[in-house]
């Protein structure tokens, strides 16, 4: 069986100029990054702003398991299937982070015969967007420490610095560091911290900004520290905005690539969904809606994280109204939730399936709360049996969901046609009545409690004393009307990753709360979630290599 990278390498890619032409984008409106990648010019995006919007389809999933779900694979395959049906469709995805590529999860280009290409470029440096974000983040950190070193005119309290440096790599030893050691000229000694680039507020800002003016306005609002009077100090106060924006001037432009079957794909931005808001850029999504009749996008991890944040943060902030949701599951993952060991998932087990399907059930219930029609798809594996497939189909249809089996990993767009037809039927016959989960005027504690009880199924919420204090401070500062971005494990509805299925009788513990004033949301960190992940005992990096001809192997 061929690996993903082998399949991708054998694909017949069109020059990106040809892909752009299918969208009526001229070569003059592209900024080329080699033969198969390009950024789309602001002039083109401005020229289509009055076009009618296409239909917006969100792809989300059940909680991820070691058995695999294939959300990105289904997203890509669904886009290819729309093209097979001669529909004008475009895919809008996030860019992969280097951390998972070299860690445990791998890349984010899809899989099998449903991938976006060039796969190696996308999973590694791509067009340099993440490097630009990292540089802008760390420039702000450098300007902050330099301001303190040069006399501290803003009276910054070095015990209340909240801005962290970042790196797009899993590196646990950087979570807590000491800077400024050495001589007097080497800065003020203080404790510092790193986050992974995809958790940086600048990543969130880039993905929520409409244009350069909006980007600069958001950058200026970033709170980096507090002064001795307890007042916030911002990036604008430090005079950092212009230089940061200069580093981001190209990164803010959406990237155009293609699938294995030459369906256009906008791939832009990449905040994690377990520690950030988990959606591709607003700019790319809005552009896609003006460029095509159907836009297929995804939100990270399970629907309890990615979809909730897509609805309550991205759609709320950007004025987007999704028309349908595709919820991805696998028989294997449902059996895993039912207690079957990974090694035994290839055998038919209707009893375990019946036990584990409660995870899917809760996600269906959650999505229906947002008023958007739901289509459930089983990402097919060759070990799935007809009895297992029929069990899931009947389960979903009893709950008011449409259902289709997806074979896009094996067959590409052809294998996604039943799903595409079901989505088209849903768009035709069911009107979206989209609504957010909570209102802006609700208190921050009420918003957190609503997400915890309504979406996670928790019995309540507990707070560490520091988190409780932070909530009051943020509210007193005038930010109580912002949405909440929950940082939580992706593996469970609870904040304990070992609780599979549909756990009950648990509380969500909020250990830390902070404001991302530029991004426009409040982050609540639950349980043991880390904003700088670590590498596993056997990192994926061990299997990655490059041969004498420059061919990369081992990426997945």
């Amino acid at each position: 069986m061929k690996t993903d990278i082998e399949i991708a390498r054998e694909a017949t890619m069109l020059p990106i100029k040809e892909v752009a032409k299918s969208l009526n984008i001229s070569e003059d409106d592209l900024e080329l990054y080699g033969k198969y990648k390009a950024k789309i010019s602001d002039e083109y995006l401005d020229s289509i702003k009055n076009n009618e919007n296409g239909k917006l389809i969100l792809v989300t999933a059940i909680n991820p398991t070691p058995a695999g779900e294939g959300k990105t694979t289904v997203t890509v395959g669904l886009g290819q299937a729309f093209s097979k049906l001669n529909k004008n469709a475009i895919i809008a995805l996030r860019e992969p982070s280097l951390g998972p590529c070299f860690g445990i999860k791998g890349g984010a280009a899809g899989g099998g015969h449903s991938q976006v290409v060039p796969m190696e470029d996308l999973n590694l440096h791509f067009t340099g967007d993440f490097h630009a974000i990292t540089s802008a983040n760390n420039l702000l950190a450098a300007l902050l420490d330099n301001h303190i070193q040069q006399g501290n005119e803003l009276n910054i309290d070095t015990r209340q610095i909240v801005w962290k440096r970042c790196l797009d790599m899993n590196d646990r030893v950087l979570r807590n560091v000491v800077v400024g050691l050495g001589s007097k000229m080497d800065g003020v000694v203080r404790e510092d911290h790193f986050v992974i680039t995809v958790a940086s507020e600048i990543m969130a800002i880039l993905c929520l900004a409409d244009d350069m003016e909006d980007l600069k306005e958001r950058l200026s609002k970033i709170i980096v520290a507090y002064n001795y009077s307890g007042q916030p100090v911002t990036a604008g106060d430090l005079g950092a905005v212009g230089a940061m924006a200069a580093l981001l001037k190209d990164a803010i432009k959406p990237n155009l690539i293609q699938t294995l079957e030459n369906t256009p794909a906008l791939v832009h931005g990449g905040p994690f969904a377990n520690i950030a808001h988990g959606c591709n850029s607003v700019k790319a999504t809005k552009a896609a809606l003006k460029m095509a009749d159907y836009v297929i996008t995804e939100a990270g991890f399970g629907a309890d994280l990615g979809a909730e944040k897509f609805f309550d943060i991205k759609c709320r902030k950007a004025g987007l109204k999704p028309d349908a949701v595709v919820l991805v599951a696998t028989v294997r993952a449902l059996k895993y939730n039912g207690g079957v060991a990974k090694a035994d998932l290839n055998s038919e087990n209707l009893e375990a399936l019946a036990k584990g399907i409660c995870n899917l059930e809760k996600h269906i219930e959650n999505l229906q709360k947002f008023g958007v029609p739901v289509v459930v798809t089983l990402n097919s594996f060759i070990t799935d049996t007809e009895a297992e497939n029929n069990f899931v189909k009947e389960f979903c249809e009893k709950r008011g969901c449409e259902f289709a089996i997806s074979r896009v990993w094996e067959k590409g767009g052809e294998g996604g046609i039943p799903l595409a037809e079901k989505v088209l039927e849903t768009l035709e016959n069911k009107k979206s009545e989209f609504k957010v989960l909570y209102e802006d005027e609700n208190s921050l504690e009420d918003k957190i409690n609503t997400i915890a009880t309504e979406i996670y199924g928790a019995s309540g919420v507990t707070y560490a004393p520091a988190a409780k204090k932070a909530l009051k401070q943020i509210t007193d500062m005038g930010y109580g009307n912002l949405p909440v971005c929950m940082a939580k494990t992706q593996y469970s509805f609870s904040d304990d990753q070992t609780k599979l299925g549909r756990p009950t009788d648990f509380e969500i513990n909020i250990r830390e709360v902070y404001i991302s004033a530029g991004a426009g949301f409040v982050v609540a960190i639950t349980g043991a979630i880390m904003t700088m992940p670590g590498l596993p005992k056997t990192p994926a990096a061990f299997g990655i290599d490059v041969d004498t001809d420059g061919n990369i192997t081992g990426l997945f």
Side-chain angles (χ1 to χ4, degrees):
M1 185 179 295
K2 292 178 180 177
T3 65
D4 287 350
I5 197 169
E6 288 171 339
I7 293 171
R9 191 168 290 136
E10 292 174 1
T12 302
M13 288 189 286
L14 294 175
I16 200 63
K17 294 182 288 187
E18 296 298 315
V19 177
K21 192 180 296 183
S22 71
L23 296 166
N24 297 315
I25 304 174
S26 70
E27 187 174 345
D28 288 341
D29 287 319
L30 298 177
E31 297 174 9
L32 297 174
Y33 283 68
K35 192 175 180 180
Y36 302 110
K37 310 185 293 288
K39 285 188 172 288
I40 301 175
S41 72
D42 289 333
E43 291 77 14
Y44 172 77
L45 297 178
D46 189 59
S47 74
I48 62 172
K49 65 183 180 183
N50 293 323
N51 289 3
E52 187 176 342
N53 279 344
K55 298 288 188 180
L56 182 58
I57 302 154
L58 173 69
V59 179
T60 186
I62 63 172
N63 295 97
T65 70
E69 287 68 53
K71 175 166 46 63
T72 304
T73 302
V74 170
T75 304
V76 176
L78 179 58
Q80 294 181 151
F82 268 79
S83 296
K84 290 274 188 188
L85 294 172
N86 295 315
K87 301 297 182 182
N88 179 19
I90 193 167
I91 299 162
L93 300 173
R94 293 176 299 160
E95 301 174 49
S97 164
L98 291 177
C101 283
F102 295 108
I104 193 168
K105 181 177 179 287
H113 292 276
S114 292
Q115 301 182 56
V116 281
V117 286
M119 182 263 213
E120 304 100 307
D121 293 5
L122 176 63
N123 281 323
L124 297 178
H125 303 289
F126 199 31
T127 57
D129 293 345
F130 283 22
H131 299 309
I133 291 165
T134 302
S135 296
N137 183 106
N138 293 341
L139 170 64
L140 179 55
L143 290 171
L144 170 62
D145 280 311
N146 184 62
H147 179 89
I148 296 168
Q149 173 72 10
Q150 303 296 345
N152 198 7
E153 183 180 335
L154 294 171
N155 292 314
I156 293 169
D157 185 349
T158 56
R159 299 163 301 177
Q160 294 194 75
I161 291 174
V162 294
W163 189 249
K164 299 175 174 66
R165 287 168 163 81
C166 76
L167 185 71
D168 191 36
M169 193 60 62
N170 293 358
D171 194 349
R172 62 170 54 83
V173 301
L174 293 179
R175 289 172 186 161
N176 305 289
V177 297
V178 177
V179 297
L181 293 173
S183 70
K184 184 178 180 180
M185 296 304 295
D186 296 323
V188 175
V189 177
R190 65 177 183 86
E191 184 179 355
D192 201 2
H193 312 272
F194 276 75
V195 298
I196 192 167
T197 296
V198 287
S200 166
E201 185 178 351
I202 295 179
M203 174 66 81
I205 286 172
L206 185 91
C207 289
L208 290 168
D210 278 321
D211 50 34
M212 179 55 73
E213 183 180 1
D214 187 24
L215 178 75
K216 291 171 73 172
E217 177 67 22
R218 290 172 179 274
L219 291 173
S220 71
K221 294 177 180 177
I222 294 173
I223 296 173
V224 298
Y226 295 86
N227 63 23
Y228 287 109
S229 299
Q231 300 301 308
V233 178
T234 66
D237 295 331
L238 287 172
V241 174
M244 294 165 68
L247 286 170
L248 297 169
K249 76 175 184 68
D250 293 322
I252 194 175
K253 298 173 184 177
N255 306 295
L256 176 66
I257 54 173
Q258 63 192 293
T259 73
L260 292 174
E261 298 177 9
N262 313 123
T263 301
L266 293 183
V267 184
H268 192 220
F272 276 176
N274 59 345
I275 50 182
H277 75 282
C279 306
N280 74 312
S281 76
V282 165
K283 189 161 184 171
T285 302
K286 285 186 172 180
L289 287 167
K290 300 296 184 183
M291 295 161 67
D293 296 328
Y294 301 95
V295 176
I296 301 109
T297 190
E298 69 167 5
F301 291 128
D304 56 319
L305 289 169
E308 186 274 317
K309 294 171 184 179
F310 177 85
F311 294 140
D312 282 325
I313 297 177
K314 181 174 179 176
C315 291
R316 181 194 303 264
K317 291 290 184 181
L320 297 171
K321 294 184 178 180
D323 295 285
V325 179
V326 174
L327 176 58
V328 180
T330 65
V331 166
R332 291 166 58 85
L334 294 174
K335 288 190 292 190
Y336 186 86
N337 271 282
V340 177
K342 185 179 178 182
D344 300 325
L345 292 172
N346 291 344
S347 302
E348 181 177 283
N349 191 331
L350 291 172
E351 183 180 345
L353 184 58
K355 183 179 178 184
I357 206 167
C358 59
N359 186 268
L360 175 62
E361 179 182 44
K362 176 59 174 163
H363 285 294
I364 291 172
E365 291 174 9
N366 287 347
L367 292 171
Q368 289 174 334
K369 291 175 182 178
F370 293 95
V372 183
V374 179
V375 179
V376 175
T377 187
L378 277 180
N379 186 17
S380 178
F381 282 71
I382 58 172
T383 55
D384 300 346
T385 68
E386 185 176 355
E388 290 173 328
N389 290 338
N390 287 336
F391 179 88
V392 179
K393 180 177 186 291
E394 291 174 13
F395 183 91
C396 295
E397 290 176 345
K398 284 180 181 177
R399 284 153 183 82
C401 295
E402 299 297 333
F403 175 86
I405 291 177
S406 171
R407 293 184 170 88
V408 296
W409 185 92
E410 177 189 3
K411 298 181 179 181
E414 190 69 32
I417 287 177
L419 173 59
E421 290 176 335
K422 190 63 70 173
V423 171
L424 288 168
E425 180 186 319
T426 299
L427 292 171
E428 182 72 25
N429 297 326
K430 293 186 179 181
K431 182 174 172 56
S432 174
E433 302 290 347
F434 172 68
K435 60 182 182 293
V436 291
L437 189 67
Y438 52 80
E439 301 303 324
D440 291 342
E441 55 266 24
N442 293 9
S443 71
L444 292 174
E445 282 195 44
D446 184 59
K447 291 168 185 172
I448 291 170
N449 187 69
T450 298
I451 296 169
T453 56
E454 294 281 323
I455 301 300
Y456 306 156
S459 57
V461 181
T462 61
Y463 294 89
K468 197 83 169 176
K469 181 179 178 182
L471 276 175
K472 182 180 185 308
Q473 181 186 23
I474 291 167
T475 301
D476 290 346
M477 287 164 57
Y479 295 111
N481 64 327
L482 295 181
V484 172
C485 181
M486 300 285 279
K488 181 185 74 69
T489 178
Q490 63 269 34
Y491 299 114
S492 172
F493 280 112
S494 74
D495 55 12
D496 178 353
Q497 68 177 35
T498 64
K499 292 181 177 178
L500 303 181
R502 184 176 182 168
T504 56
D505 299 323
F506 67 91
E507 292 182 320
I508 292 289
N509 177 254
I510 309 295
R511 84 165 196 269
E512 182 182 349
V513 178
Y514 62 86
I515 175 71
S516 289
F521 54 68
V522 174
V523 180
I525 297 182
T526 73
I529 196 75
M530 295 290 180
T531 54
M532 170 54 88
L535 290 169
K537 186 173 183 179
T538 306
F542 289 171
I544 296 172
D545 202 355
V546 58
D547 65 23
T548 54
D549 293 323
N551 295 312
I552 293 171
T553 58
L555 276 177
F556 65 96

